[in-house]
Amino acid sequence: MRYEKIDYSEYNNETGMNLGVVREMVVTGLFPKYDDIDFYDFPNIMIDLDSLLSTVMKLNSDVNNEIKMEYGKIIVNSLGWFINQYQFNGYITIYYNMDEYKTFTEIYPDWNKERQSRYDNFGMGEFIQKTLLKKLKLLEGRMNNFKIKKCNDAPILDIKEDLKTISGKTVILSRDPHYNCLFIYFPDMWIFDGKHLFSRDNFNLVASNPKVKYNLLPYYYIICGMNRNEYKGYHGMGPKKTITYLKDNLSNIIKGEDEIWKEVEKYKDLFFLKNVYSKKQENNT
């Protein structure tokens, strides 16, 4: 299956439009639009299901079960097509939590606050937990080289630990820029963000990515913020200001002597992830 553009003209109401949005976001999150991008060269494929379904959680949850089942059909069929396409070339793991990311909210209470409120909405959240995930478990039993993994905290923390134990190129399918912070630790890691496939070597060629070296990304996000995860950073420091500030003050920042850095340093474990573990992992170490 390749990406196919959706003709919205067939939809004439909110429900139909929502179905189109679900299909658009799920399909583009899995299948590149362009023929020169695919995942056949990756022995390890990791999918962040929380990220993939974040748009679904925004939709009106006050819909009947028939419409919710249509949402589920779109999601399960898309994942099934993806697994069928790549299962003989690489091992596919789907990670999910669909709950609070406690490790990060203990550091920054507003982390993913809006997304968490969506999970707490028992319209769509309950459907995903009780219906959709059951269907995905059925896929797991029927298909080779595929598993679905329940995370006790943010999926990025489980993915980080799994990356330590596997060899070969790995691609992570996620629209969450938080994964960019893992480039420091894993040179064979790539990211597909729904539009672009990139590694730490060609990270800066993607127009939407910050124009800093990959090893400075945690510093950049700590100061500038990360809108997707609702971390605000230092007030008044937008992307351009942050890039300039890093160039002019990096030495003092690294030494911990910079005044702006002192204000946000308490949040550094949101983005310097090497020694950050989920609460369950932490208790077992």
Side-chain angles (χ1 to χ4, degrees):
M1 179 181 176
R2 301 299 301 177
Y3 169 82
E4 297 176 4
K5 189 173 181 179
I6 299 168
D7 180 6
Y8 285 108
S9 63
E10 65 184 279
Y11 304 123
N12 55 13
N13 54 46
E14 182 183 359
T15 297
M17 182 62 75
N18 282 347
L19 288 171
V21 170
V22 171
R23 184 178 185 278
E24 176 84 8
M25 297 308 296
V26 172
V27 171
T28 56
L30 296 171
F31 298 97
K33 290 184 177 183
Y34 306 109
D35 289 336
D36 61 343
I37 299 178
D38 60 51
F39 311 122
Y40 290 112
D41 291 336
F42 293 94
N44 309 294
I45 300 173
M46 299 176 167
I47 299 173
D48 179 348
L49 190 64
D50 287 23
S51 171
L52 187 68
L53 300 187
S54 61
T55 299
V56 180
M57 300 296 289
K58 290 182 180 179
L59 299 177
N60 180 14
S61 62
D62 187 22
V63 295
N64 60 45
N65 288 333
E66 182 181 355
I67 298 303
K68 290 179 184 177
M69 292 304 293
E70 287 298 316
Y71 290 165
K73 188 184 299 183
I74 292 169
I75 296 163
V76 173
N77 285 348
S78 298
L79 286 166
W81 290 326
F82 182 92
I83 296 162
N84 187 60
Q85 183 167 334
Y86 291 108
Q87 64 179 320
F88 300 111
N89 299 89
Y91 196 90
I92 302 164
T93 307
I94 296 178
Y95 298 79
Y96 75 95
N97 179 1
M98 305 293 172
D99 206 339
E100 181 183 357
Y101 296 172
K102 293 182 180 179
T103 296
F104 296 130
T105 55
E106 287 188 5
I107 300 170
Y108 188 79
D110 284 346
W111 184 267
N112 267 329
K113 188 175 182 179
E114 181 185 346
R115 184 186 293 183
Q116 180 58 40
S117 70
R118 297 179 219 151
Y119 295 150
D120 294 339
N121 182 328
F122 283 97
M124 196 60 65
E126 186 177 40
F127 164 74
I128 289 175
Q129 290 281 2
K130 292 187 175 181
T131 304
L132 177 59
L133 291 171
K134 284 185 178 180
K135 291 180 179 294
L136 292 177
K137 283 289 185 181
L138 290 175
L139 280 183
E140 183 180 33
R142 295 171 182 171
M143 293 185 154
N144 298 319
N145 295 330
F146 160 61
K147 70 176 178 180
I148 182 164
K149 182 174 182 180
K150 172 69 171 75
C151 305
N152 294 292
D153 210 308
I156 192 173
L157 298 178
D158 281 67
I159 286 174
K160 171 180 68 79
E161 293 305 302
D162 287 351
L163 284 168
K164 294 177 182 179
T165 65
I166 59 179
S167 59
K169 288 172 62 178
T170 300
V171 60
I172 298 170
L173 278 65
S174 175
R175 293 185 174 93
D176 189 348
H178 202 191
Y179 285 93
N180 295 339
C181 297
L182 296 183
F183 280 133
I184 300 179
Y185 316 117
F186 305 108
D188 289 331
M189 186 191 89
W190 292 63
I191 292 172
F192 177 65
D193 66 357
K195 292 182 178 179
H196 311 98
L197 178 65
F198 54 89
S199 68
R200 71 188 196 180
D201 295 327
N202 65 351
F203 176 84
N204 289 129
L205 297 180
V206 177
S208 56
N209 286 341
K211 296 303 179 281
V212 297
K213 292 182 179 180
Y214 68 85
N215 59 335
L216 298 181
L217 285 168
Y219 293 108
Y220 170 86
Y221 289 124
I222 291 166
I223 295 173
C224 183
M226 183 177 281
N227 288 337
R228 182 180 175 93
N229 292 303
E230 300 171 74
Y231 169 70
K232 294 181 179 180
Y234 188 87
H235 179 71
M237 295 296 287
K240 290 183 179 180
K241 274 190 176 181
T242 300
I243 290 170
T244 301
Y245 196 83
L246 285 174
K247 288 178 180 177
D248 295 341
N249 301 279
L250 184 59
S251 178
N252 284 338
I253 289 172
I254 292 174
K255 289 186 289 186
E257 298 174 357
D258 180 80
E259 292 305 313
I260 285 181
W261 178 254
K262 288 178 182 179
E263 292 293 319
V264 293
E265 186 178 13
K266 59 188 174 182
Y267 304 125
K268 63 183 175 60
D269 283 347
L270 292 173
F271 303 104
F272 283 102
L273 298 170
K274 183 176 182 180
N275 296 314
V276 179
Y277 305 94
S278 73
K279 291 307 168 186
K280 184 172 182 179
Q281 290 172 321
E282 197 172 61
N283 291 337
N284 290 334
T285 57

